[in-house]
Amino acid sequence: MITVKNLKKQFGDNVVLDGIDVHVDQGEVLAIIGPSGSGKSTFLRCLNLLEKPDEGLIQIADTKVDVKKMNAKEMHQLRQKTAMVFQHYNLFKNKTALENVTESLIIAKKMKRQEAEDIGKELLVKVGLKDQFYQYPVTLSGGQQQRVGIARALAVKPRAILFDEPTSALDPEWVSEVLQVIKDIAQLKTTMIIVTHEMQFAEEVADRVIFMADGSIVEQNNPKEMFNRPQSPRTQQFLNKIGTGELND
Ligand SMILES: Nc1ncnc2c1ncn2[C@@H]1O[C@H](COP(=O)(O)OP(=O)(O)O)[C@@H](O)[C@H]1O
Ligand SMILES: [Mg+2]
């Protein structure tokens, strides 16, 4: 579903992605963990071209681009393949929950309002917001806002969903409801890449975990191996520091 080869990105002299190679299967859930500043967000942003990578190949479903040579049409096609869920929700503050979900359907996909609203309502019900269709973001809890963000990502029927620390801006009381919604989506065999600092969640939901540091993939494995028997000293150090003792069986 997703294949990335030798993806590179630097900001000035700062090499942020130093040749990333990743493959994600159809229906696979990939978790990415790693210290702050290791390039996790930049990697996701490069995948849907919110940042322009310097070098590399990206293939998502049937769209394959060489980032150095891609044209506007290829960029558009690649962007259409994924949807992103952001740390800070990035909702339109002057639009209701429903309008946030239907916006891209009406504007980008040129769908009729009624049809878009039917889809939007169905998705908001799915993320547990059946009573919040017409509320503005400011009247919603952080957890509810992020669930609107997830419904919005699902609305465009992406081939893969990219989550960038979807719970790290939330008050602790709202974290579990958002993680549950993501788990429910994972059950449907949706291809997902999730950058997260919730190790317990990564262990429960991911098929595979990647540890990233300094713009490189240091180690990858199934969650059980990764959390119980990390191979690289860097991974061991990271996991020890954030304290995943409770994960070890
Ligand atoms: N738009 C930008 N301009 C300049 N530097 C950036 C930009 N975005 C990210 N960086 C730098 O890239 C590095 C990796 O950042 P990021 O991808 O956000 O890491 P992570 O998500 O793992 O915390 C950091 O050193 C950060 O300062
Ligand atoms: Mg980040």
Side-chain angles (χ1 to χ4, degrees), residues 178-190:
V178 171
L179 295 182
Q180 188 55 52
V181 167
I182 298 172
K183 277 187 196 169
D184 293 345
I185 300 169
Q187 296 279 313
L188 305 172
K189 286 287 156 207
T190 312

Side-chain angles (χ1 to χ4, degrees), residues 71-244:
N71 58 36
K73 189 174 166 217
E74 289 174 324
M75 290 174 74
H76 178 73
Q77 281 178 348
L78 193 68
R79 285 201 176 107
Q80 300 270 303
K81 296 289 186 292
T82 55
M84 189 115 166
V85 174
F86 300 92
Q87 190 173 354
H88 296 286
Y89 334 130
N90 296 16
L91 300 180
F92 295 111
K93 301 218 169 355
N94 60 340
K95 293 187 190 300
T96 63
L98 184 58
E99 286 167 345
N100 266 282
V101 178
T102 57
E103 171 80 7
S104 62
L105 296 177
I106 294 168
I107 303 298
K109 300 220 164 184
K110 315 271 183 241
M111 203 178 268
K112 292 213 173 65
R113 180 170 301 275
Q114 188 57 52
E115 193 186 347
E117 288 188 353
D118 289 346
I119 293 171
K121 286 176 183 170
E122 192 184 319
L123 288 169
L124 286 170
V125 169
K126 195 163 162 181
V127 299
L129 296 174
K130 69 175 170 55
D131 297 323
Q132 283 80 20
F133 293 169
Y134 305 108
Q135 283 183 228
Y136 287 87
V138 70
T139 70
L140 298 171
S141 74
Q144 290 173 327
Q145 290 184 58
Q146 189 58 299
R147 286 184 281 147
V148 174
I150 293 170
R152 176 180 60 180
L154 290 169
V156 295
K157 291 209 167 81
R159 302 304 297 270
I161 306 181
L162 313 175
F163 294 85
D164 191 3
E165 304 215 27
T167 62
S168 64
L170 294 175
D171 290 335
E173 61 195 303
W174 308 124
V175 169
S176 67
E177 64 184 35
V178 171
L179 295 182
Q180 188 55 52
V181 167
I182 298 172
K183 277 187 196 169
D184 293 345
I185 300 169
Q187 296 279 313
L188 305 172
K189 286 287 156 207
T190 312
T191 308
M192 314 201 285
I193 302 181
I194 310 173
V195 171
T196 185
H197 62 290
E198 302 276 350
M199 300 302 145
Q200 184 84 49
F201 169 69
E203 179 164 38
E204 286 166 20
V205 78
D207 298 304
R208 187 156 49 100
V209 181
I210 280 179
F211 173 66
M212 228 175 120
D214 294 334
S216 299
I217 293 174
V218 175
E219 181 170 352
Q220 52 182 309
N221 214 327
N222 66 62
K224 207 169 167 58
E225 287 297 316
M226 179 69 103
F227 292 119
N228 291 317
R229 278 172 291 279
Q231 300 297 308
S232 147
R234 297 232 28 200
T235 318
Q236 291 164 2
Q237 199 184 27
F238 174 77
L239 291 176
N240 281 337
K241 204 161 135 197
I242 59 167
T244 52

Side-chain angles (χ1 to χ4, degrees), residues 25-43:
D25 284 330
Q26 162 73 50
E28 190 180 18
V29 178
L30 175 69
I32 303 180
I33 60 172
S36 178
S38 56
K40 305 180 300 295
S41 295
T42 303
F43 174 63

Side-chain angles (χ1 to χ4, degrees), residues 37-70:
S38 56
K40 305 180 300 295
S41 295
T42 303
F43 174 63
L44 291 189
R45 295 171 61 81
C46 282
L47 281 186
N48 76 349
L49 304 178
L50 285 172
E51 295 287 353
K52 190 174 180 301
D54 299 325
E55 206 179 315
L57 298 171
I58 302 174
Q59 176 167 15
I60 303 176
D62 55 355
T63 301
K64 185 175 185 177
V65 304
D66 178 337
V67 302
K68 270 185 158 170
K69 298 180 197 153
M70 64 191 166

